[in-house]
Amino acid sequence: VYKRQLHGRWGEDGCVQGLLEWLRLPYTHSGVLASALAMDKERTKQEFRIHGLPVAPSVLASRPEVEAGHVMTPPYVVKPYNEGSSVGVYLIHPGDAPPVLSADMPQTVMVEAFAPGRELTTSVLGAGPLGPARSLGVTDILTDGWYDYDAKYKEGGSYHVCPADIPSDIAAACEDYALRAHAALGCRGVTRTDFRWDEARGLDGLILLEINTQPGMTPTSLVPEQARACGMSFPELCGWMVEDASCDR
């Protein structure tokens, strides 16, 4: 069994997973279809809506449309529809001009209504030979500004409260939604589902942003932290993933 973790396009969009299936090399986390679906934010949202999961309103638009005028009323977010790690995210506030997108942005992007509030996340393990899927609780992510790439991966970029100090009904909803999102896409192994929660609106203010089929495993990452809070050490977590590895995922 080989263990290797990859991120972004090619690494978590089903391409490497398809290659490993062809080579018949066991691998961790989700298979080809679930990985491809999760990387495509629009198709993911379609599945979530079908399964009754709350998502923010959004549309796909071309670069010229986005740069020529506001595709929706600010505040909104512009981002690639097939990237991860908050790469290429533009937050447009009321009063801002339409964004000028960088050259490396795709020709088609997602424009999504901004969901205010706290950044919450829930990891899920399972749905495979080692047992049914289970959640690892909820983490509240605190940062001085936007939860962008630097906030995710640089030391001191963010501060995690694990378990999150939130009402029990919100924590239960996060865990329920994460498990349902994991199942809706047919995910395997480990996933992490990200939320925004507007405290003023209670449960109605909880919005599911996306699901990560290859969540980070760095010293500042969330899955090892949540596993540790549940009594699972980092070596135990890695051991679980290796034991769970397979083909035909």
Side-chain angles (χ1 to χ4, degrees), residues 24-102:
R24 304 307 293 169
L25 289 176
Y27 60 97
T28 62
H29 301 347
S30 296
V32 176
L33 179 57
S35 299
L37 278 173
M39 182 57 69
D40 187 319
K41 292 181 172 63
E42 180 60 26
R43 292 184 183 275
T44 296
K45 282 193 169 190
Q46 291 172 2
E47 287 297 317
F48 289 168
R49 291 187 187 103
I50 289 170
H51 288 82
L53 295 167
V55 295
S58 63
V59 296
L60 295 183
S62 68
R63 287 177 58 112
E65 289 175 314
V66 169
E67 294 179 336
H70 293 303
V71 175
M72 66 171 56
T73 303
Y76 62 83
V77 172
V78 179
K79 57 188 177 183
Y81 70 92
N82 61 349
E83 280 284 3
S85 294
S86 299
V87 173
V89 176
Y90 295 75
L91 175 56
I92 311 303
H93 299 277
D96 287 352
V100 177
L101 305 182
S102 62

Side-chain angles (χ1 to χ4, degrees), residues 139-142 147 151-152 158-162 219-222 225:
T139 295
D140 191 1
I141 304 168
L142 307 176
Y147 190 51
K152 288 185 176 183
S158 60
Y159 174 67
H160 304 160
V161 179
C162 180
T220 60
S221 293
L222 293 145
E225 187 176 62

